[in-house]
Amino acid sequence: MTETTLLTFLQWIDLVGVLFNAVLGAVIGRAARLDVVGLVVLAIMSGLGGGMIRDVMLQSGPPIAITDWRYITAALLGALIVMIVRVEGRLWDRIYPPIDALALGTWAAAGSLKTLEAGFGVLPALMLGTITAVGGGFVRDMVLRRIPGVLGGNTLYATAALAASLVAVGSWYLHVPTIGSIAATAVGAALVLLARWRRLSLPVG
Amino acid sequence: MTETTLLTFLQWIDLVGVLFNAVLGAVIGRAARLDVVGLVVLAIMSGLGGGMIRDVMLQSGPPIAITDWRYITAALLGALIVMIVRVEGRLWDRIYPPIDALALGTWAAAGSLKTLEAGFGVLPALMLGTITAVGGGFVRDMVLRRIPGVLGGNTLYATAALAASLVAVGSWYLHVPTIGSIAATAVGAALVLLARWRRLSLPVG
Amino acid sequence: MTETTLLTFLQWIDLVGVLFNAVLGAVIGRAARLDVVGLVVLAIMSGLGGGMIRDVMLQSGPPIAITDWRYITAALLGALIVMIVRVEGRLWDRIYPPIDALALGTWAAAGSLKTLEAGFGVLPALMLGTITAVGGGFVRDMVLRRIPGVLGGNTLYATAALAASLVAVGSWYLHVPTIGSIAATAVGAALVLLARWRRLSLPVG
């Protein structure tokens, strides 16, 4: 694969991540008995929230979520799917975890590389990579009056996002960001799936 | 009326909307037994929150809420009124709904047109028009640990805001934004009042 | 002291404020039985949240919290301390209040002066000065599903922050911002300590 092909590939995973997290947001919204507008709002927050927070922090232009029409479209599509199809049952339980895990890894890689490319250092890159990956779910949980799962007891999302960001940042300094993005995505996804499978959690602070 | 007169007229509705929503925020704050600082904070969030979120997203300069002194002043005035006058009873029940409805319509129109003028497309315009109109109430509800009314069961605020945004966006592409703003305000306000009157709500998702 | 020495001095108080508020956030997170990632998130929010909101509003570049590595470092250090040391007991009860009070005053002074220097007027300066000082605690409380203490019944934080901002703004117009920063810090800190000591609170609105 050429570098352009790889980047295109990663951007499509990014968008698939938006779609799947939007579906997840809408599913959670339906479980909370929200109306259709509520589903759309939760889908947008879940799918686009993390990237929006990152872009607002970077202040290097409006969020990609509003400048690239594919992002809103993917989020709306996610909500639409949940309204039309009964997204649940065994098929969903099998499809969701790997895509969710891949999206988390890609988002962490994309967020940390975008931060480095905007001229910031390692610490901001790790912070914004992690925020990109977990910010949407954080906001979604807050809106539904839940203590965000990221803060404790869930499947190591934040830890996996931080690990993926570390790999991406390292690869950037080694001048192999494209391969690094894939490695970061793999590391982040593997950690999420491992944590889900083995029910890992961090010690209480 | 000339175009300038119309725009001035719409901006005043915008400010009256800030004032009335600030009053509403402070009234809700008093019901939650907050102290005077709490009232001011809720008044600012209710009156200015939606426009602030929009302006932070657009990244085309600081929020109008902090660059135009009339906005903070209107919000503070709203809080002051609630501290001095007992804002409740039949008069308030008759005055509030139409102004609230007009403000929602104007905010949706202003938000979507501002997004289009900043160079964005239809989807961002609809999204930010709606956020401008309902964002303040959303944040206010979150602060008071309520699931935002917009997400389900309230008087179709988000749907009305989206409809008003659609009218405004359409008018912009037809090169009649001024007339369109008035039409959008009318459509948004009519929907809110109709929903309130007939107790309409959306199906659970 | 020369002016540069004074400014350096104030910036160090600012950073010490980040450290201590990060410690406070992590202590609160541990009391809520969050895991170590939760502690770090709460430390970052408590220590850096107010300044981030201010900088995002001002739109004059990315938040200092991500451009100056000392800020993230101070917040992480705060979380680390709480993980290693048992931060509680009589020593903490004696050390925390004065530093917390000094940080609030410095943050209010720094926030309002930064707003004025960015070209805004008195009202935005007072609003953003206050937000800088109390915003982090506000967000931290929201995340933990508490109605933010600032809205009612706590030790006059918002009032003290507003008073400190008023002093700082006044000093800026009198062309003595450095002395004014110290005076503002002193006024804010004194009010917080007085309110804590005398258990002062505002009337319910």
Side-chain angles (χ1 to χ4, degrees), chain A residues 46-69:
Chain A
S46 289
L48 306 176
M52 280 184 174
I53 297 172
R54 174 200 64 211
D55 292 343
V56 164
M57 289 285 169
L58 288 179
Q59 300 236 351
S60 54
I64 193 173
I66 68 172
T67 57
D68 184 333
W69 63 271

Side-chain angles (χ1 to χ4, degrees), chain B residues 30 33-39 41 45 52 55-56 59 61-63 66-67 72-73 76 142-143 145, chain C residues 56-59 120 123-124 127-128 138 142 145-148 150-153 158-159 202-205:
Chain B
R30 194 168 55 187
R33 306 208 43 82
L34 305 182
D35 64 24
V36 289
V37 167
L39 298 204
V41 173
M45 284 184 164
M52 279 183 174
D55 292 343
V56 165
Q59 300 236 351
I66 69 172
T67 56
I72 299 184
T73 307
L76 293 178
M142 275 183 70
V143 166
R145 294 188 302 176
Chain C
V56 165
M57 289 285 170
L58 287 180
Q59 299 236 349
F120 296 99
L123 281 175
M127 188 169 87
L128 292 181
F138 195 99
M142 274 184 70
R145 293 189 303 178
R146 297 173 186 170
I147 290 188
V150 162
L151 297 178
T159 310
L202 292 176
V204 170

Side-chain angles (χ1 to χ4, degrees), chain A residues 62-143:
Chain A
I64 193 173
I66 68 172
T67 57
D68 184 333
W69 63 271
R70 294 176 300 174
Y71 283 80
I72 299 183
T73 306
L76 293 178
L77 192 60
L80 191 67
I81 289 171
V82 174
M83 288 174 209
I84 293 174
V85 188
R86 188 152 280 277
V87 179
E88 53 191 40
R90 289 184 56 196
L91 187 62
W92 167 251
D93 289 346
R94 295 178 76 119
I95 290 175
Y96 180 73
I99 303 279
D100 176 49
L102 281 172
L104 179 128
T106 328
W107 285 0
S112 46
L113 292 177
K114 190 167 181 180
T115 307
L116 291 169
E117 272 157 29
F120 296 98
V122 171
L123 280 176
L126 296 177
M127 187 169 87
L128 292 181
T130 305
I131 286 176
T132 304
V134 304
F138 195 100
V139 172
R140 181 196 65 219
D141 287 348
M142 274 184 71
V143 165

Side-chain angles (χ1 to χ4, degrees), chain C residues 4-204:
Chain C
T4 312
T5 320
L6 274 170
L7 285 173
T8 307
F9 173 70
L10 286 169
Q11 196 172 32
W12 279 105
I13 293 189
D14 194 28
L15 279 166
V16 172
V18 172
L19 176 67
F20 271 75
N21 276 281
V23 168
L24 177 64
V27 165
I28 291 174
R30 194 169 54 187
R33 305 206 46 77
L34 304 182
D35 64 25
V36 288
V37 167
L39 297 203
V40 170
V41 173
L42 280 200
I44 288 175
M45 282 184 165
S46 289
L48 305 176
M52 279 184 173
I53 296 173
R54 174 200 63 211
D55 291 343
V56 165
M57 289 285 170
L58 287 180
Q59 299 236 349
S60 53
I64 193 172
I66 69 172
T67 56
D68 183 333
W69 64 270
R70 295 176 300 174
Y71 283 81
I72 299 183
T73 307
L76 293 177
L77 192 59
L80 192 67
I81 289 171
V82 174
M83 288 174 208
I84 294 173
V85 189
R86 187 152 280 273
V87 179
E88 52 191 40
R90 288 184 58 195
L91 188 61
W92 166 252
D93 291 346
R94 293 178 76 121
I95 289 175
Y96 179 73
I99 303 279
D100 176 48
L102 282 172
L104 178 128
T106 328
W107 285 1
S112 46
L113 292 176
K114 190 168 183 181
T115 307
L116 291 169
E117 271 157 30
F120 296 99
V122 171
L123 281 175
L126 296 177
M127 188 169 87
L128 292 181
T130 306
I131 286 175
T132 304
V134 305
F138 195 99
V139 173
R140 181 195 65 219
D141 287 348
M142 274 184 70
V143 165
L144 292 176
R145 293 189 303 178
R146 297 173 186 170
I147 290 188
V150 162
L151 297 178
N154 80 336
T155 49
L156 297 198
Y157 276 113
T159 310
L162 183 61
S165 300
L166 272 167
V167 172
V169 168
S171 77
W172 194 81
Y173 281 104
L174 296 172
H175 305 291
V176 287
T178 321
I179 292 169
S181 292
I182 294 177
T185 302
V187 166
L191 270 173
V192 167
L193 292 174
L194 184 69
R196 190 186 289 274
W197 179 44
R198 305 287 286 172
R199 302 189 181 280
L200 297 180
S201 66
L202 292 176
V204 170

